[in-house]
Each structure stands twice: as C-alpha cells, then as structure tokens.
C-alpha cells in the first residue's frame, strides 16, 4: 500500500471514529430536516446505526394490500409510529385491525379508516383496549356510518380530540351533531363536511344536458371536484360558461370529450384560479387555437394530463408552458405532433418533477439546460440515441425513474451514461431496447446501489442465482413490464422492504 493510500485510509477511520461519538439526539435532529422518506432510506443503508435511527424517526405508515405480507416486520421495525392509514386496504378490516392491535406501538395516536365500506366494529373494541389513548380518527367517505357506530366510537375512544366523518354516503347532520355532543367530551376538532356539494362525478352519464348541469352549478358555489368525462353534449361554449361558475374548483376531468379544444383548457386555467389538476385526455386540444392576449397566468396548476390529444402541437404546448409556471406533472404521451414544445415545458416550468413524453413525434430530443427538479421521465418509443441520452443524464442528474421502452437506437453506452450521472436513480426500464446488451444489467446493479427496479432489455435471461444475488443488493430485476415484484423479496430485510415502501 502506498504512503498516500495508507494516510487516506487512516484519515477515513479517524473521521468515522469521531462520528461515533456524536450523540443519537444530534443525528436525529439532523435527519429530521430531511423530509423526503427516500432520503431516510438512503441514510439507512449507510450503517446499522443509521438504520436504527431512521427506523425510530418514521412516524406514519400507509398499509395497502401489497404491504400486508411485510406488516408484522414493519410494525416491529418502526416502533415510534404515531399514525396508521388503512385507506387503501381492500380486505378484511377486522382482521387487519386485530393484527395491528397485537403489536407494540406505544406512541400510536391517529387511525385513518376513510373510504372504507363500513366501521369494523368487531375488531374496534379489541383495538381500543390496546390503544385507549387514540386522539384522532378519520372515518370520512365511509359508505355506512350510523349513529350506533358513533356511539361505539365514543365508547371505545373516550379521549378522542379529532374526528372526521365528512362526506358520508348517507348524511344526517343534525343527528350526527347530537351524537357527537353527547358522546365525545374532549373533542377539539370535528369535520362534518359533505352537506354542501364539494364533489360532482358524472363520467359517461347521458340522462342530463347542459341546462341541468348549469342550474346545479349555479347553486353550488363551493364545488372543488368535477368529473364530466365522456359527456356527449359538452363543447367549448359549455365549458367556457361553466368555468365562470367554478371559482373554487381545484380538480376537473374533461377527458374523452372530442369537441373540446384549446378554448376549454385555457378557460379553465383563466377562470378557475384555484385549479391544481386538469385532465383532458383523448380530447381535441390543439385543433382550435386561442389568441395570446386572452391568456392568464395560473400559478396553482400543478398536474396536467393531455395524453392522446392527436391535434396537440408545439404551439399549444408552448402557450401552456407560458401560463402554468408551477407545473409539477405533465403527461404528453401519444401526442405525436409535439416535439420542441415538450422541451419548452422543461425549460419554462421550473418546478417540473414528472414528465411523460412516450411516443412523441420528435425525431430528436435534446436538452441543453439544467433541470434539477425532474425526478421521473418517460421517453418510451422516442427515436433518441446515445448522444441525446447522455445529454439528458447530465442535465437531469437527479432523475429517480427513467423509462426507455422501445427506444430502438440506444445502446449500453447510453445506459452507462445514465447510471453513472444519475446518482439517485431508482427505476429504469429498458423493455424491448433491442440494441442494449443483456450484460449491462449486472453492471447496473453493482454500480448504482440506489437502483430498486430494473426492467431488463431483450435477451436477458434471469437465473435463480442471479435473482437472489440482485435481491441481496436491494434490486428487483424483471424482463416483464407487468411483473416487477417478486414474492421471494420478502425474505430480504430490511433493505429490500424499502423497494416496496417507496416504489
């Protein structure tokens, strides 16, 4: 070993020794400034000490169906959970609550049962005996929630301070207020929303016309969510007039309405100042331009989905970019007349995080400016080569997910550039990339330890030994777009669980 190498190794050991003397309280204070769970995941891989610290810092857990096999391990792993969300669970809620009640979670104070069909009364009593100090309970959007259920909740959780029973399927406000007043003595916050109409969803309904929907909206000034997907009478004139009645709207779905053009889109942007998400997929955006002096900037719009608008072109997309500076997500997939307009979105929207550009009409896709916020990019079916891919990897160096399916011109050289330059890369898809050599997969797994999922290129044959080796490195490899999880992954903890917790 050379003198310089020996000195460097000694310095590293000395620095690590010094770090070991830093109290856990100091580390925890530092880690708390990192709000993104993905950052905690990276820290957990540094050492077993950091793993135990990040485990203690996690305070919330969302339990969906694909997490169920790992639930016992997760409940042991995160002892300081204060809130559990069961909204996305579709199975037996009584069984799940009983399983949670058998764990040791002394800090648990909040439970979310929203969007469930009914209150799990059988297991709730058992759960309450284990967690009598529960402070917050969410039963919003529940199909069936009766006064009897409220009495049961009051009996089980006398210390509740917050309860959400908003947007029930059957609403009886007066009865529920009485039940709350008589049963809960410590309540500080109650959500009874749902009597004023906040959400209207009528996709594919044909038994009403413009007069009916207009009359309804004139009497519902607080509407926030509107879904008129596939509504045969809708045209630009209707949407322009309706948009003037929707000052509080923050979500609208006007997809599959082929009579709607740019006029409808920009009317929503102009007349609904609080709008955050617009869906106009498979519409007619692009076929009728608007005058530029009619444009108004909307700083609230964050999510815009325009997939499969066959008329959409660069001119319309550039106009959108000019009035929506805070866009975070944009889907332009299958808009085959769009090319440079997509680049202008990336240039002008400085908060952009997710872009779906699959099957654009661009021959080349060159980016010659930094995009530090972009974390997800779909370039499937684009006719880009290694040169363009190298530029993208250098300008979008914080990418975490990259899809390159059916990109027939790229080779392993371009993929190498991505893996080397994108140090936070977690997911990469190379499905049907014919010119990418199969042996690049192993190199990617061992080179970029942040990778969690790889869709392999053609001619890659995954052996049992390779699968286990890759899993031990925390990466799931598949040659099938629909099969990116593996039941054997549950045998590898704690690193691989992160691939399921943070897909």
């Amino acid at each position: 070993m050379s003198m310089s190498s020996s000195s460097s190794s000694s310095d590293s050991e000395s620095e690590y020794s010094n770090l070991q003397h830093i109290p856990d309280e100091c580390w925890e204070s530092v880690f708390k400034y990192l709000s993104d769970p993905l950052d905690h995941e990276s820290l957990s891989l540094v050492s077993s000490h950091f793993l135990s610290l990040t485990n203690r810092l996690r305070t919330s857990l969302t339990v969906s169906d694909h997490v169920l096999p790992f639930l016992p391990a997760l409940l042991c792993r995160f002892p300081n959970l204060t809130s559990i969300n069961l909204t996305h669970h579709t199975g037996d809620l009584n069984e799940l609550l009983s399983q949670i009640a058998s764990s040791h979670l002394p800090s648990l104070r909040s439970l979310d049962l929203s969007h469930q069909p009914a209150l799990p009364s059988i297991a709730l009593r058992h759960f309450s005996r284990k967690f009598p100090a529960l402070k917050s309970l969410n039963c919003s959007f529940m199909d069936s929630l009766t006064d009897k259920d409220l009495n049961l909740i009051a009996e089980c959780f006398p210390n509740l301070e917050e309860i959400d029973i908003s947007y029930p399927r059957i609403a009886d406000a007066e009865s529920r207020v009485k039940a709350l007043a008589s049963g809960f003595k410590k309540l500080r916050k109650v959500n009874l929303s749902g009597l004023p109409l906040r959400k209207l969803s009528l996709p594919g309904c044909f038994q009403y016309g413009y007069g009916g929907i207009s009359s309804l909206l004139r009497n519902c000034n607080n509407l926030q969510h509107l879904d008129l997907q596939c509504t045969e009478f809708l045209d630009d004139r209707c949407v322009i007039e309706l948009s003037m009645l929707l000052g509080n709207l923050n979500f609208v779905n006007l997809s599959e309405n082929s009579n709607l053009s740019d006029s409808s889109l920009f009317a929503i942007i102009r007349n609904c100042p609080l709008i955050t998400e617009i869906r106009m997929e498979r519409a007619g955006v692009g076929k009728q331009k608007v005058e530029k002096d009619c444009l108004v900037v909307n700083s609230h719009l964050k999510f815009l989905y325009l997939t499969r608008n066959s008329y959409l072109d660069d001119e319309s997309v550039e106009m959108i970019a000019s009035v929506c500076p805070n866009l975070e997500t944009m889907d332009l997939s299958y808009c085959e007349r769009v090319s440079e307009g997509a680049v202008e979105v990336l240039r002008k929207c400085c908060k952009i995080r997710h872009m779906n550009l699959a099957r654009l009409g661009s021959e080349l896709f060159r980016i010659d400016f930094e995009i530090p916020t972009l974390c997800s990019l779909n370039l499937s079916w684009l006719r880009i080569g290694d040169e363009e891919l190298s530029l993208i990897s250098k300008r979008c160096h914080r990418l975490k997910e990259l899809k390159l399916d059916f990109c027939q011109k790229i080779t392993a050289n371009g993929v190498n550039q991505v893996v080397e330059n994108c140090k936070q890369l977690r997911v990469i898809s190379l499905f049907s990339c014919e010119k990418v050599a199969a042996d690049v997969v192993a190199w990617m797994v061992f080179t970029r330890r942040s990778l969690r999922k790889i869709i392999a290129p053609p001619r890659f044959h995954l052996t049992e030994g390779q699968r286990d080796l890759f899993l031990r490195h925390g990466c799931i490899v598949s040659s099938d777009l629909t099969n990116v999880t593996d039941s054997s992954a549950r045998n590898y903890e704690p690193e691989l669980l992160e691939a399921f917790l943070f897909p």
Side-chain angles (χ1 to χ4, degrees):
M1 180 182 293
S2 67
M3 187 73 70
S4 61
S5 176
S6 176
S7 174
S8 175
S9 176
S10 176
D11 290 342
S12 298
E13 293 175 0
S14 176
E15 291 175 2
Y16 182 75
S17 177
N18 291 335
L19 291 177
Q20 287 184 310
H21 296 294
I22 298 178
D24 286 354
E25 293 79 8
C26 294
W27 283 121
E28 290 182 2
S29 297
V30 172
F31 291 173
K32 285 179 181 178
Y33 281 101
L34 304 174
S35 58
D36 190 341
L38 295 176
D39 293 327
H40 282 186
E41 180 233 348
S42 299
L43 289 169
S44 71
L45 300 177
V46 173
S47 67
S48 58
H49 181 210
F50 278 16
L51 174 63
S52 66
L53 289 175
T54 54
N55 286 347
R56 296 207 303 261
L57 288 176
R58 189 181 181 98
T59 59
S60 64
L61 180 67
T62 296
V63 180
S64 55
D65 292 346
H66 79 278
V67 171
L68 282 179
F70 317 108
L71 186 59
L74 294 175
L75 295 176
C76 291
R77 180 178 174 185
F78 305 123
N80 294 328
L81 290 177
T82 61
S83 66
I84 292 181
N85 187 327
L86 306 183
T87 296
H88 302 290
H89 177 63
T90 61
D92 188 340
L93 203 55
N94 280 293
E95 180 179 343
L96 179 57
L97 277 179
S98 298
Q99 186 176 6
I100 296 172
S102 65
S103 62
H104 181 66
L105 298 173
S107 302
L108 188 64
R109 294 293 183 269
S110 176
L111 180 65
D112 190 342
L113 303 176
S114 60
H115 296 272
Q116 291 294 334
L119 195 73
S121 55
I122 296 175
L124 204 62
R125 293 184 186 277
H126 182 207
F127 188 90
S128 66
R129 286 194 289 271
K130 186 64 180 289
F131 305 108
L134 198 73
K135 302 294 184 184
S136 175
L137 180 65
N138 189 341
C139 297
S140 62
F141 295 97
M142 193 167 280
D143 289 349
S144 173
L145 187 67
T146 65
D147 292 347
K148 183 178 179 180
D149 292 328
L150 287 177
N151 292 332
L152 175 62
I153 294 172
E155 178 185 342
C156 292
F157 305 109
N159 297 312
L160 271 185
E161 296 179 0
E162 298 183 10
I163 187 169
D164 188 342
I165 54 173
S166 61
Y167 302 102
R169 185 176 180 182
I170 302 175
D172 185 350
E174 181 178 354
S175 173
R176 292 183 181 212
V177 169
K178 290 180 179 178
L180 292 171
S182 61
F184 299 92
K185 305 302 181 183
K186 297 186 178 181
L187 280 182
R188 296 185 295 104
K189 183 178 180 180
V190 180
N191 189 345
L192 286 170
S193 301
L195 296 178
L197 187 63
R198 307 278 185 179
K199 180 177 180 179
L200 181 62
S201 184
L202 299 169
C205 296
F206 301 102
Q207 302 301 316
Y208 71 100
Y210 175 72
I213 190 69
S214 176
S215 176
L216 176 63
L217 294 182
R218 289 180 191 279
N219 292 283
C220 299
N221 298 323
N222 295 313
L223 198 71
Q224 297 175 356
H225 179 114
L226 180 61
D227 186 348
L228 297 179
Q229 180 178 356
C230 195
T231 303
E232 62 178 5
F233 65 81
L234 272 189
D235 57 22
D236 286 335
R237 180 188 62 83
C238 293
V239 173
I240 292 170
E241 293 179 2
L242 292 178
S243 68
M244 298 178 184
L245 307 174
L246 299 168
N248 292 312
L249 196 69
N250 54 49
F251 170 92
V252 65
N253 186 354
L254 300 174
S255 300
E256 298 185 60
N257 290 297
S258 58
N259 292 326
L260 303 186
S261 70
D262 305 53
S263 298
S264 293
L265 174 61
F266 287 104
I268 295 289
I269 293 173
R270 178 177 64 252
N271 297 327
C272 304
L274 302 182
I275 195 74
T276 59
E277 180 173 342
I278 299 176
R279 290 183 173 269
M280 287 187 68
E281 301 165 301
R282 297 181 178 88
V285 181
K287 67 180 178 181
Q288 183 179 334
K289 301 294 186 288
V290 299
E291 297 295 330
K292 292 187 177 180
D293 56 6
C294 296
L295 301 180
V296 174
V297 173
N298 188 315
S299 59
H300 277 81
L301 187 61
K302 295 181 179 180
F303 310 99
L304 183 57
Y305 299 89
L306 299 174
T307 184
R308 297 184 185 274
N309 274 275
S310 58
Y311 295 98
L312 190 63
D313 57 17
D314 288 336
E315 181 182 354
S316 293
V317 171
E318 289 177 18
M319 292 174 69
I320 293 169
S322 68
V323 297
C324 304
N326 292 328
L327 274 181
E328 295 181 9
T329 297
M330 191 170 193
D331 188 346
L332 294 171
S333 58
Y334 292 85
C335 296
E336 298 186 353
R337 297 188 183 188
V338 177
S339 56
E340 289 302 316
V343 177
E344 287 305 302
V345 172
L346 294 169
R347 188 192 308 274
K348 293 179 179 179
C349 301
C350 59
K351 296 183 179 180
I352 198 73
R353 291 173 53 83
H354 307 277
M355 280 288 283
N356 188 346
L357 305 178
R359 210 148 195 168
L360 290 195
S362 178
E363 287 290 337
L364 298 175
F365 187 78
R366 291 180 175 273
I367 300 176
D368 58 0
F369 52 91
E370 294 289 326
I371 315 175
T373 58
L374 195 66
C375 62
S376 175
L377 182 61
N378 188 343
L379 300 176
S380 300
W381 293 95
L382 263 64
R383 294 181 287 274
I384 60 171
D386 291 344
E387 183 180 351
E388 292 80 30
L389 198 56
S390 176
L391 280 173
I392 291 168
S393 70
K394 293 173 182 177
R395 304 303 187 186
C396 312
H397 55 274
R398 293 184 181 175
L399 272 180
K400 295 181 180 179
E401 179 177 7
L402 180 61
K403 294 184 178 181
L404 299 168
D405 307 328
F406 298 95
C407 290
Q408 304 293 357
K409 295 175 65 175
I410 65 171
T411 71
N413 291 332
V415 175
N416 290 348
Q417 290 289 310
V418 171
V419 173
E420 290 177 355
N421 293 327
C422 301
K423 302 185 185 304
Q424 300 178 34
L425 192 66
R426 297 177 56 80
V427 179
I428 186 169
S429 183
L430 301 169
F431 185 78
S432 197
C433 293
E434 297 289 345
K435 292 186 178 180
V436 177
D439 58 6
V440 76
V441 173
W443 179 84
M444 286 193 292
V445 173
F446 301 128
T447 300
R448 181 57 58 220
R449 296 298 298 270
S450 63
L451 276 170
R452 290 293 175 265
K453 294 178 184 177
I454 296 175
I455 307 299
R459 296 177 297 281
F460 176 79
H461 301 290
L462 184 67
T463 67
E464 190 78 15
Q466 285 177 318
R467 183 194 62 182
D468 293 342
L469 178 61
F470 295 156
L471 285 172
R472 283 196 292 272
H473 281 75
C475 188
I476 298 171
V477 177
S478 173
S479 58
D480 186 349
L481 283 171
T482 62
N483 181 25
V484 293
T485 60
D486 192 306
S487 59
S488 64
R490 66 191 66 178
N491 298 321
Y492 298 90
E493 296 188 280
E495 294 85 359
L496 196 64
L497 277 179
E498 303 293 350
F500 295 92
L501 287 171
F502 311 109

